[in-house]
Amino acid sequence: MTEPYYEDELVTLHLGDNTNITDWAECDCMVTDPPYGRKWRQGRHRARDGGYKASSAWSMGIIGDESTEARDRVLEMWGPAKPAVLFGDLMLPPPLAARLVCIYAKPADAGVLGAIGGVRRDCEAIYLCGKDWRAAMGGRSSIFRTAATSQAGIHGIVHRSGGHPHAKALDVMRELIALTPPPGVIADPFAGSGSTLLAARNLGRRAVGVEIDERAAALAARRLSDALPGLTEGLSAAPEQLGFDITTTE
């Protein structure tokens, strides 16, 4: 059994490969933000010497983002029955297990880079997979909007997550977790900066996360420990030691 990177009364976060650390697969519901498979990487900017340098610690991109293989492998390990919620890119094929495609509507300043014809890239897919959902007639809109007013800037979602470029808004994560049957334990095999884990804990739900990239795991552990001062078990490297400037958390 691998020692947790971070642990408190409700949340366990592991640093490693989710195909080797499989505690998450025994959970009841999955809410996760996997690599989309679009080969994303942070841009470069011009340096004072006339050359170019990386814009951030994410200039090398996201581990596993070469294809949708990481997403599909996790869904295969998860199985066809239990509820699963996954984010994705609307330009790429949805998982075969998807039963409903919802929309994540980002804040008003999102998606400026890469806009086409004056239209911003400000929405993403949310896939609902699995069979064991609560039966219901009607329901809420399939568009999930955040109350956050910005994606960037010192008050934006990215900054408040510690700098992870793909951090999701906590209010949206809470809404998605609330869809799943309580009091089920939440799995997040692509924990990133910890938004799912933090939102689950805020709802009083147990959660198990795995993150392969220590840059992101350090952000998640810091966010979780800052929210509960004194709980820093397993935090082997602070974000600033990995090149991040942490000034606020959500």
Side-chain angles (χ1 to χ4, degrees):
M1 178 68 68
T2 304
E3 286 294 318
Y5 189 77
Y6 170 91
E7 188 170 31
D8 61 46
E9 291 183 353
L10 290 176
V11 170
T12 300
L13 171 64
H14 295 285
L15 173 63
D17 190 324
N18 57 35
T19 61
N20 298 323
I21 302 171
T22 57
D23 295 14
W24 61 271
E26 304 302 319
C27 296
D28 304 297
C29 314
M30 179 163 66
V31 179
T32 192
D33 185 16
Y36 292 175
R38 64 187 184 192
K39 301 178 182 178
W40 175 93
R41 64 178 56 197
Q42 193 82 290
R44 301 182 302 164
H45 65 268
R46 188 177 294 276
R48 290 182 179 180
D49 61 7
Y52 288 87
K53 65 178 183 179
S55 299
S56 78
W58 304 97
S59 60
M60 297 305 292
I62 301 295
I63 295 174
D65 195 37
E66 295 78 20
S67 70
T68 61
E69 181 180 349
R71 176 199 74 184
D72 297 338
R73 182 179 62 245
V74 155
L75 278 171
E76 183 176 357
M77 295 173 66
W78 184 248
K82 294 186 292 184
V85 181
L86 300 90
F87 285 84
D89 189 324
L90 286 163
M91 293 290 288
L92 296 176
L96 294 176
R99 298 184 61 200
L100 180 65
V101 180
C102 304
I103 298 296
Y104 168 42
K106 297 181 180 181
D109 67 335
V112 174
L113 296 177
I116 300 294
V119 179
R120 293 182 288 113
R121 298 178 183 268
D122 60 353
C123 64
E124 296 179 359
I126 301 173
Y127 305 115
L128 302 190
C129 306
K131 301 175 182 178
D132 294 341
W133 292 92
R134 290 172 291 182
M137 292 292 292
R140 55 150 295 147
S141 168
S142 61
I143 300 175
F144 289 78
R145 301 182 185 277
T146 175
T149 57
S150 64
Q151 184 79 8
I154 61 172
H155 299 298
I157 295 170
V158 170
H159 185 75
R160 293 174 68 83
S161 75
H164 195 292
H166 301 306
K168 297 300 185 287
L170 273 182
D171 56 350
V172 169
M173 302 314 295
R174 286 193 294 267
E175 286 189 71
L176 294 174
I177 291 169
L179 295 178
T180 66
V185 180
I186 303 297
D188 187 358
F190 301 101
S193 65
S195 295
T196 297
L197 304 179
L198 187 54
R201 192 176 69 187
N202 289 347
L203 291 171
R205 301 276 290 269
R206 290 179 55 213
V208 176
V210 181
E211 175 53 48
I212 195 171
D213 192 333
E214 191 168 10
R215 300 174 299 176
L219 295 179
R222 174 57 61 85
R223 293 177 77 190
L224 290 159
S225 60
D226 280 355
L228 289 179
L231 293 178
T232 57
E233 294 90 335
L235 182 54
S236 62
E240 54 267 26
Q241 293 175 303
L242 298 175
F244 296 99
D245 178 19
I246 304 300
T247 54
T248 62
T249 56
E250 191 167 17

